[in-house]
């Protein structure tokens, strides 16, 4: 590494980017969590690299302290836990590394580690391509890709991470390496679903896909009293959904009356061979909506902004846990509804908490063997996210407890009904889950990869395995 000095002037003289210190407006801005104040700690230093080569001096600066300062990495800063921050350490904030460059042969696109999916979709709509990424424009590419990256196109094309062709990674010892199936293959395996525990991915090379054309989206809204019919409609939809059709079900209490409400937001690709009315029939007849609004949007970029207005109204404090369910089990749906209803009825500051069910055909995700990448929940499943939301800091504990207990309930019920454990999505874990549950059969290899690329455990934030080369 370039320096062993703890002198800040030495660091700033070696980098093109900036070092932000507490008290400056730039620090205050960069310190904030993107979605929620709950994810912001107070780093001693925030380094904003302007080039990949700025990162090794920042790592050396942290390591030169006695004891070494903790290092954390922020991509989009979207994770609801404190993984993309550090108390008193060095935060490497990739906010200035957001470029997106289409290769001359138009078969791949280079995306820097601090980009958001909207940055990629924006270039995609102008250049005429798509990539597999998260459905929301502001989710960071960095954190989501190392955690799998599941989106609307995943049924047809697999996870974002299944479409990663190679990556440039800054390792804990300051080396900058290329990782692919051919080079640093263990590292390439680990960064595809193992989380941010092996290094900082400063650039992803992603497979470019042909545009799939206009997409059908919108919403059906039902009163809480119709929940049984809605669950039945969801189960019917799930039974017939192809890889080009998805529906997201929300348990929510919208302002101004905060009545329990179910919203189904369908997404249908133009590639679907079925008639839209046939696909949507369960949401119109098995359950009859109070209101419906179905629209067509031209591309992934526009679709990724559809929920902006609703999201802007959500209470600011957020904590999320996610559980993959092997199917929309009726008993689990009813159990979750009862628990969510009770909590949001009894806790007025926590009533903005929602449960979000991604009802889909797992398709291509399940065609990849679990051992092929570090990502574990491959079997057919629907991801469910429990979003605990509140306004007052004093409600945080109750909301966190509710989210954790609901996640445990869903995970244990699904394991009992299925007869085996599907694991947990690492990108919406909180870090207190056992590594054996999150990474299942891949734990042993992850420990070896950790021993090879980060034996000193420099990367500590997130779900992190102990290095073990045996
Ligand atoms: C409202 C909401 C909706 C979501 N929807 C989806 C979804 O549809 N699909 C989906 O797949 N995920 C979804 N997620 C989860 C999301 O993928 C994770 O929160 C992810 O961590 C966000 O990426 P980020 O770059 O913003 O992460 P950050 O918050 O910046 O960081 C989270 C973790 O990733 C690590 N990390 C970040 N960038 C890099 C990098 N370049 N190299 C190495 N490690 C890095 C950090 O060190 C940290 O440990 C959602 C999350 C939220 C809050």
């Amino acid at each position: 590494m370039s320096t062993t000095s703890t002198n800040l002037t030495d660091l700033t003289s070696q980098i093109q980017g900036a070092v932000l210190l507490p008290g400056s407006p730039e620090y205050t801005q960069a310190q904030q969590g993107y979605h929620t104040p709950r994810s912001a700690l107070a780093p001693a230093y925030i380094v904003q690299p302007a080039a990949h080569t700025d990162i090794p001096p920042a790592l050396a600066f942290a390591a030169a302290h006695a004891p070494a300062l903790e290092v954390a990495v922020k991509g989009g800063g979207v994770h609801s836990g404190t993984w993309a921050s550090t108390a008193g350490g060095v935060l490497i904030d990739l906010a200035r590394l957001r470029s997106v460059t289409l290769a001359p042969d138009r078969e791949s696109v280079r995306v820097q580690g601090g980009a958001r999916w909207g940055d990629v979709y924006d270039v995609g709509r102008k250049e005429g391509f798509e990539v597999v990424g998260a459905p929301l424009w502001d989710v960071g590419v960095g954190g989501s890709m190392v955690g799998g990256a599941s989106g609307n196109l995943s049924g047809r094309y697999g996870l974002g991470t299944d479409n990663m062709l190679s990556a440039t990674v800054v390792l804990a010892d300051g080396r900058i390496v290329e990782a692919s199936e051919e080079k640093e293959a263990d590292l390439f395996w680990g960064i595809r679903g193992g989380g941010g525990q092996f290094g900082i991915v400063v650039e992803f090379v992603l497979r470019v896909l042909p545009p799939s054309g206009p997409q059908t989206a919108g919403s059906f809204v039902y009163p809480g009293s119709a929940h049984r019919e809605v669950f039945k409609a969801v189960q019917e939809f799930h039974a017939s959904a192809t890889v080009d059709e998805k529906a997201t079900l929300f348990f929510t209490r919208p302002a101004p009356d905060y009545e329990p409400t179910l919203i189904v937001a369908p997404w249908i690709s133009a590639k679907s061979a079925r008639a839209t009315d046939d696909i949507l029939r369960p949401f119109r007849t098995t359950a009859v909506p109070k209101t419906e609004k179905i629209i067509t949007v031209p591309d992934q970029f526009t679709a990724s902004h559809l929920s902006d207005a609703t999201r802007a109204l959500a209470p600011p404090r957020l904590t999320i846990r996610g559980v993959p369910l092997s199917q929309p089990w009726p008993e689990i749906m009813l159990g979750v509804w009862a628990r969510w209803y009770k909590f949001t009825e009894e806790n007025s500051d926590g009533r903005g908490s929602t449960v979000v069910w991604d009802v889909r055909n797992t398709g291509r995700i399940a065609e990849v063997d679990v051992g092929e990448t570090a990502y574990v929940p491959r079997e057919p499943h629907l991801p469910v996210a429990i979003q605990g939301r509140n306004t007052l800091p004093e409600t945080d504990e109750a909301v966190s407890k509710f989210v954790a207990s609901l996640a445990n309930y869903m995970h244990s019920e699904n394991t009992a009904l299925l007869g085996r454990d599907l694991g947990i999505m690492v990108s919406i874990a909180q870090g207190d889950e056992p590594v054996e549950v999150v990474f299942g059969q891949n734990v042993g290899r992850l420990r070896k990869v950790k021993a090879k690329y980060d034996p000193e455990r420099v990367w500590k934030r997130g779900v992190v395995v102990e290095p073990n080369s045996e």
Side-chain angles (χ1 to χ4, degrees):
M1 277 193 256
S2 24
T3 177
T4 51
S5 166
T6 57
N7 186 324
L8 193 57
T9 317
D10 287 351
L11 173 61
T12 48
S13 68
Q14 287 181 65
I15 67 172
Q16 299 171 45
V19 182
L20 313 178
L21 298 176
S24 74
E26 294 83 4
Y27 173 97
T28 307
Q29 170 81 21
Q31 181 222 354
Q32 286 166 15
Y34 176 76
H35 270 312
T36 171
R38 293 191 68 173
S39 60
L41 300 175
Y45 307 92
I46 300 179
V47 179
Q48 288 188 329
H52 307 167
T53 45
D54 285 353
I55 297 175
L59 296 177
F61 173 78
H65 288 73
L69 296 178
E70 182 180 66
V71 180
V73 181
K74 174 144 98 175
V78 161
H79 192 275
S80 71
T82 57
W83 297 5
S85 194
T86 163
V90 176
L91 173 61
I92 299 180
D93 174 9
L94 305 178
R96 298 183 187 204
L97 299 177
R98 286 178 67 168
S99 75
V100 176
T101 315
L102 183 63
D105 65 6
R106 304 179 67 84
E107 299 214 333
S108 64
V109 60
R110 303 185 89 85
V111 181
Q112 283 191 306
R116 297 182 190 281
W117 284 109
D119 300 335
V120 191
Y121 300 158
D122 191 27
V123 176
R125 70 173 167 164
K126 290 170 185 152
E127 294 284 352
F129 70 84
E130 278 182 350
V131 292
V132 182
L136 300 177
W137 67 272
D138 50 0
V139 170
V141 173
S144 59
M145 279 299 274
V146 295
S150 162
N152 291 338
L153 302 183
S154 290
R156 177 169 279 272
Y157 297 111
L159 297 166
T161 221
D162 298 333
N163 289 278
M164 192 197 302
L165 302 175
S166 65
T168 307
V169 187
V170 181
L171 300 176
D173 62 9
R175 281 181 298 143
I176 302 179
V177 299
E178 292 292 318
S180 66
E181 293 284 5
E182 290 77 36
K183 291 184 254 173
E184 309 287 355
D186 284 335
L187 178 64
F188 190 58
W189 178 86
I191 59 172
R192 288 178 295 157
Q197 57 174 320
F198 302 110
I200 305 179
V201 183
V202 285
E203 192 165 81
F204 297 91
V205 179
L206 308 182
R207 179 177 292 121
V208 155
L209 305 164
S212 39
Q215 318 181 359
T216 302
S219 61
F220 296 95
V221 180
Y222 308 86
S225 56
H227 65 276
R228 286 176 191 275
E229 291 80 12
V230 175
F231 297 166
K232 207 156 168 271
V234 161
Q235 283 142 12
E236 281 173 27
F237 172 85
H238 180 253
S240 60
T242 71
V243 294
D244 296 310
E245 300 143 20
K246 214 182 103 177
T248 308
L249 166 67
F250 298 84
F251 295 177
T252 179
R253 288 178 183 260
D257 55 12
Y258 305 105
E259 288 299 323
T261 301
L262 300 108
I263 299 176
V264 173
W267 174 86
I268 305 171
S269 161
K271 286 195 186 299
S272 172
R274 298 202 296 158
T276 302
D277 281 346
D278 288 343
I279 298 166
L280 298 179
R281 183 162 298 119
F283 301 124
R284 291 184 172 129
T285 56
T286 304
V288 179
K290 207 163 56 171
T291 60
E292 89 163 63
K293 183 179 174 195
I294 296 300
I295 56 170
T296 303
V297 294
D299 50 46
Q300 225 178 354
F301 179 84
T302 315
S304 75
H305 279 276
L306 285 176
S307 58
D308 286 2
T310 321
R311 290 200 291 144
L313 296 174
R317 304 185 75 80
L318 170 68
T319 181
I320 302 186
R321 287 180 195 260
V323 180
L325 291 186
S326 45
Q327 51 173 293
W329 304 99
E331 51 274 67
I332 297 185
M333 296 194 87
L334 284 168
V336 173
W337 175 262
R339 285 162 174 79
W340 169 82
Y341 187 103
K342 184 171 187 303
F343 177 78
T344 52
E345 190 75 13
E346 291 173 355
N347 296 271
S348 61
D349 190 46
R351 69 188 166 196
S353 300
T354 57
V355 185
V356 184
W357 310 67
D358 260 342
V359 186
R360 61 164 190 200
N361 180 322
T362 315
R364 176 77 192 133
I365 298 174
E367 289 168 20
V368 177
D369 285 342
V370 173
E372 216 170 291
T373 69
Y375 188 81
V376 171
R378 289 280 182 188
E379 274 189 55
H381 67 276
L382 45 141
V384 184
I386 307 149
Q387 303 195 353
R389 289 198 179 265
N390 54 299
T391 302
L392 306 170
E394 52 270 32
T395 320
D396 286 355
E397 200 182 326
V399 170
S400 295
K401 231 170 115 186
F402 161 69
V403 171
S405 86
L406 197 52
N408 283 339
Y409 164 75
M410 294 170 88
H411 182 242
S412 57
E413 289 296 303
N414 190 70
T415 305
L417 286 165
L418 180 67
R420 56 186 181 279
D421 192 340
L422 278 189
I424 283 179
M425 287 89 69
V426 64
S427 62
I428 39 178
Q430 282 294 331
D432 54 2
E433 301 84 354
V435 291
E436 291 77 11
V437 172
V438 179
F439 295 121
Q441 69 179 65
N442 285 339
V443 167
R445 184 164 176 196
L446 283 165
R447 289 200 168 114
K448 285 187 185 150
V449 180
K450 187 76 172 166
K452 187 167 172 187
Y453 291 100
D454 183 23
E456 306 295 327
R457 235 170 165 263
V458 168
W459 318 113
K460 296 189 189 68
R461 316 284 308 157
V463 184
V464 179
V465 298
E466 286 298 327
N468 185 344
S469 53
E470 280 156 31

